Amino acid sequence: MRRFRVAIIEPSAIIAEGVATLAGRSGEFEVVYSGGDMRMLIERFAMVSPDVVIVGSQMVGANNQSLRVAYPELQSVTLALLSTTVCDEEVMRQFDGVVNIYDGQAQIIRKLHAAVEQGETNPYSDSHDLSERERDVLILVAKGKTNKEIADELNISIHTVMSHRKNITHKTGIKSVAGLTVYALLNNLLDQNDVTL
């Protein structure tokens, strides 16, 4: 039987300990890290080496960016949301599974197994990398071009531009032009001098 290494990111010690205890009782999930700050986990990521990261919903509610974009280390692990508050559907989509605060031990184990299976059959790195054409569209969006200007420059229809923009937003988790511009700059897709203010 495979044992999965689990990291829990939840600011409430009571909730984190409860989930750790319930998940650990099965013998299939070993909690190797628990804390209230994602950056601390990322700093220790190579040492901790989790297979599954469970993230409390209040840790992602204010952040409009996908966790896997903000923390590339998370691309290779199963992400499960620990729903302790009402969550936006868009936020929930970035996770491989959702565990509810009111779930019992059997439900938690079942949902973690389903999340692991989902993560293995639909890995982030295969489905969330931008295609070459999406990168072209992103660069032009960051340069301040309109959909029509992008369509003309790339010799594609406006509908295709809008489809690419929708895919870019879904893959990056970023909705605003300013956010996409920062993403393009941080990923060296364009130079700061190319951006019009």
Side-chain angles (χ1 to χ4, degrees):
M1 168 175 65
R2 179 177 174 194
R3 283 180 62 103
F4 297 97
R5 296 171 59 83
V6 177
I8 300 173
I9 305 299
E10 166 57 49
S12 168
I14 292 172
I15 294 173
E17 187 63 32
V19 171
T21 300
L22 292 174
R25 282 185 189 162
S26 72
E28 298 173 68
F29 296 96
E30 175 189 7
V31 177
V32 294
Y33 180 88
S34 183
D37 186 352
M38 181 65 78
R39 287 171 295 194
M40 295 295 287
L41 170 63
I42 297 303
E43 288 174 11
R44 296 176 174 92
F45 205 80
M47 259 187 342
V48 174
S49 189
D51 301 305
V52 179
V53 176
I54 301 173
V55 183
S57 54
Q58 59 274 54
M59 301 300 294
V60 293
N63 185 356
N64 202 23
Q65 187 180 34
S66 165
L67 285 174
R68 286 180 166 134
V69 171
Y71 305 104
E73 295 85 352
L74 299 177
Q75 292 182 16
S76 62
V77 301
T78 297
L79 269 183
L81 177 68
L82 174 58
S83 180
T84 57
T85 60
V86 176
C87 295
D88 182 72
E89 191 174 320
E90 193 68 32
V91 169
M92 293 173 72
R93 276 195 211 119
Q94 66 180 292
F95 292 89
D96 300 307
V98 178
V99 174
N100 192 291
I101 190 172
Y102 299 107
D103 289 341
Q105 180 183 0
Q107 289 173 303
I108 290 172
I109 300 305
R110 183 176 44 77
K111 288 180 177 182
L112 288 176
H113 276 292
V116 168
E117 287 176 22
Q118 175 66 25
E120 289 174 351
T121 60
N122 188 17
Y124 177 85
S125 58
D126 289 348
S127 63
H128 288 71
D129 287 342
L130 296 180
S131 69
E132 185 175 335
R133 183 57 92 181
E134 288 166 347
R135 284 193 297 273
D136 294 340
V137 170
L138 173 62
I139 290 166
L140 293 173
V141 167
K143 288 181 177 181
K145 304 277 185 176
T146 66
N147 286 346
K148 177 155 180 24
E149 291 170 330
I150 294 169
D152 291 344
E153 190 164 330
L154 297 177
N155 294 319
I156 57 178
S157 72
I158 291 178
H159 176 73
T160 302
V161 172
M162 290 172 25
S163 178
H164 284 310
R165 287 186 71 163
K166 182 178 174 185
N167 290 341
I168 292 166
T169 297
H170 176 72
K171 290 179 179 181
T172 63
I174 303 169
K175 296 179 182 176
S176 70
V177 173
L180 290 171
T181 302
V182 170
Y183 177 88
L185 289 168
L186 290 175
N187 287 282
N188 298 318
L189 297 175
L190 79 154
D191 188 70
Q192 188 173 359
N193 297 329
D194 295 333
V195 179
T196 56
L197 300 174

